[in-house]
Amino acid sequence: MQLRRQPLSAPRPGDTRPAAQRLAVPLLLLLALQGAAASGEPEDSGWLQDAEPSSRLLSQAARAALHFFNFRAASPSALQVLANVLDGRAWVNQKKEYKFDLVFTTEFYRAEEGEKRLGTCSAQVFFRNDKPRPAVNVTCTQLIKKERRQEEDYQLYKLMKQLKSPLNAVRIPDSHGYIAPSLRPIWNLAFLGSSYVMWQKTTPFLHYFMSQISSVKQWKTNDDAIDFDYTVLLHEFSTQEIIPCRIHLVWYPGKPLKVKYHCQERQTPEEGSGTEEGSAVALTELSNF
């Protein structure tokens, strides 16, 4: 921007200050306004942008958003996992709160089918005071078609309802890492419920992966819902600890997922357990669902 030379204004009557002193305050005010406009943030917001956020930190926030997305979608046939973070910006303030703007790609979770099915998501993620359960606003597109998802969810539901006796199983996968095809729907349902738990527990520095189901029990119900108790083992990164979590899950196709859980860990009881009935503290938009 080019500055045009302006004539010095005459002093106001009674103003005996030198010309340089009279111009100092307006000039400082102009520089301050220009700096605030360039930053794109309110002058008193306290947020500082991280010029080069680490790929680990961006991936951490993207996984949290995707856990939240999977839980809210409530479809074991449409589970997504993180592929790549395409773009990300991060801010931090004096309270050590973090917020992220992200664009990332996802892959279809059922890797055994060999389907990539890349989707694209944009998300805003906010961590308060290094605490878990980040606020999330996420939008994803180019995912599995709605008709196919509904059909596959219904087939899974019908399969579980047609069992002659409630299912009881242990150790999925087995000691060799194998998941029998007949148990894959159980694994996907457990992953769906665990998505809620992993979203609840993720912090800027800890994330989780469901490594095994150590027990599962299906309950007979008088209504139409599928009702399960699971014990899952969550692998905590970066501590490398294995955290057992008991999860009670109630699912019906097209309805909000209901989850209660308790994890055995060092946290206090109110931090280590929770409940959810299809609502969350943050708004989200689920495109293509």
Side-chain angles (χ1 to χ4, degrees), residues 61-62 65-66 100-104 121-125 136-140:
L66 205 48
F100 300 87
D101 280 344
L102 303 161
V103 178
F104 55 91
C121 301
S122 61
Q124 294 80 44
V125 180
V136 174
N137 191 320
V138 57
T139 303
C140 294

Side-chain angles (χ1 to χ4, degrees), residues 76-77 79 108-113 156 159-160 167 172-173 177-192 209-210 213 230:
S77 302
L79 293 168
F108 202 36
Y109 179 63
R110 292 180 294 180
E112 75 280 5
E113 295 185 4
L156 169 59
L159 175 66
M160 302 308 301
L167 178 68
I172 307 173
Y178 175 70
I179 301 178
S182 61
L183 296 177
R184 173 60 66 174
I186 305 303
W187 175 267
N188 288 346
L189 274 173
F191 189 91
L192 182 61
F209 178 78
M210 190 180 85
I213 302 172
Y230 297 94

Side-chain angles (χ1 to χ4, degrees), residues 109 187 191 198 207-211 233-237:
Y109 179 63
W187 175 267
F191 189 91
M198 291 186 285
H207 72 275
Y208 299 84
F209 178 78
M210 190 180 85
S211 59
L233 303 181
L234 299 183
H235 188 173
E236 182 180 77
F237 297 87

Side-chain angles (χ1 to χ4, degrees), residues 10-285:
R12 291 178 297 175
D15 191 347
T16 60
R17 293 176 300 167
Q21 189 174 349
R22 293 199 311 269
L23 291 173
V25 173
L27 181 59
L28 290 173
L29 179 59
L30 176 62
L31 291 175
L33 291 174
Q34 288 177 338
S39 69
E41 292 288 335
E43 188 179 355
D44 61 347
S45 68
W47 290 99
L48 296 177
Q49 185 169 358
D50 188 343
E52 295 183 1
S54 69
S55 58
R56 180 197 62 80
L57 200 58
L58 295 177
S59 296
Q60 195 95 328
R63 289 189 192 96
L66 205 48
H67 289 322
F68 182 71
F69 179 87
N70 283 332
F71 160 66
R72 289 296 298 271
S75 171
S77 302
L79 293 168
Q80 303 289 309
V81 293
L82 180 65
N84 293 294
V85 176
L86 302 180
D87 185 38
R89 293 179 295 168
W91 292 265
V92 63
N93 64 16
Q94 293 180 348
K95 297 179 181 179
K96 297 299 183 182
E97 297 174 326
Y98 293 84
K99 62 180 179 180
F100 300 87
D101 280 344
L102 303 161
V103 178
F104 55 91
T105 57
T106 67
E107 293 179 355
F108 202 36
Y109 179 63
R110 292 180 294 180
E112 75 280 5
E113 295 185 4
E115 295 184 83
K116 288 296 182 182
R117 288 192 173 274
L118 285 177
T120 303
C121 301
S122 61
Q124 294 80 44
V125 180
F126 174 69
F127 290 94
R128 186 182 299 276
N129 299 328
D130 290 345
K131 291 183 179 180
R133 200 176 194 250
V136 174
N137 191 320
V138 57
T139 303
C140 294
T141 58
Q142 300 178 14
L143 305 180
I144 183 173
K145 290 183 178 180
K146 181 178 180 179
E147 294 77 13
R148 176 179 170 183
R149 172 181 60 84
Q150 290 175 335
E151 176 62 24
E152 292 187 2
D153 281 351
Y154 178 71
Q155 292 300 324
L156 169 59
Y157 169 80
K158 189 167 66 172
L159 175 66
M160 302 308 301
K161 276 296 186 180
Q162 288 176 345
L163 293 175
K164 294 182 179 180
S165 59
L167 178 68
N168 285 276
V170 294
R171 293 191 180 276
I172 307 173
D174 62 18
S175 58
H176 302 288
Y178 175 70
I179 301 178
S182 61
L183 296 177
R184 173 60 66 174
I186 305 303
W187 175 267
N188 288 346
L189 274 173
F191 189 91
L192 182 61
S194 296
S195 293
Y196 171 72
V197 181
M198 291 186 285
W199 162 58
Q200 287 257 316
K201 292 175 62 58
T202 297
T203 76
F205 309 104
L206 292 175
H207 72 275
Y208 299 84
F209 178 78
M210 190 180 85
S211 59
Q212 191 177 55
I213 302 172
S214 61
S215 67
V216 55
K217 180 178 179 62
Q218 181 182 0
W219 296 96
K220 270 190 170 297
T221 61
N222 295 324
D223 57 18
D224 293 330
I226 301 290
D227 195 324
F228 279 99
D229 277 337
Y230 297 94
T231 299
V232 301
L233 303 181
L234 299 183
H235 188 173
E236 182 180 77
F237 297 87
S238 57
T239 67
Q240 304 303 322
E241 291 193 16
I242 300 299
I243 311 259
C245 294
R246 297 195 306 272
I247 300 174
H248 182 79
L249 179 149
V250 178
W251 175 73
Y252 183 83
K255 299 293 185 181
L257 188 67
K258 297 182 180 181
V259 179
K260 294 182 179 180
Y261 76 94
H262 178 80
C263 294
Q264 179 183 332
E265 52 187 327
R266 300 181 305 275
Q267 293 180 338
T268 59
E270 60 268 24
E271 291 177 324
S273 61
T275 180
E276 179 57 57
E277 296 188 0
S279 61
V281 293
L283 296 178
T284 185
E285 180 183 352

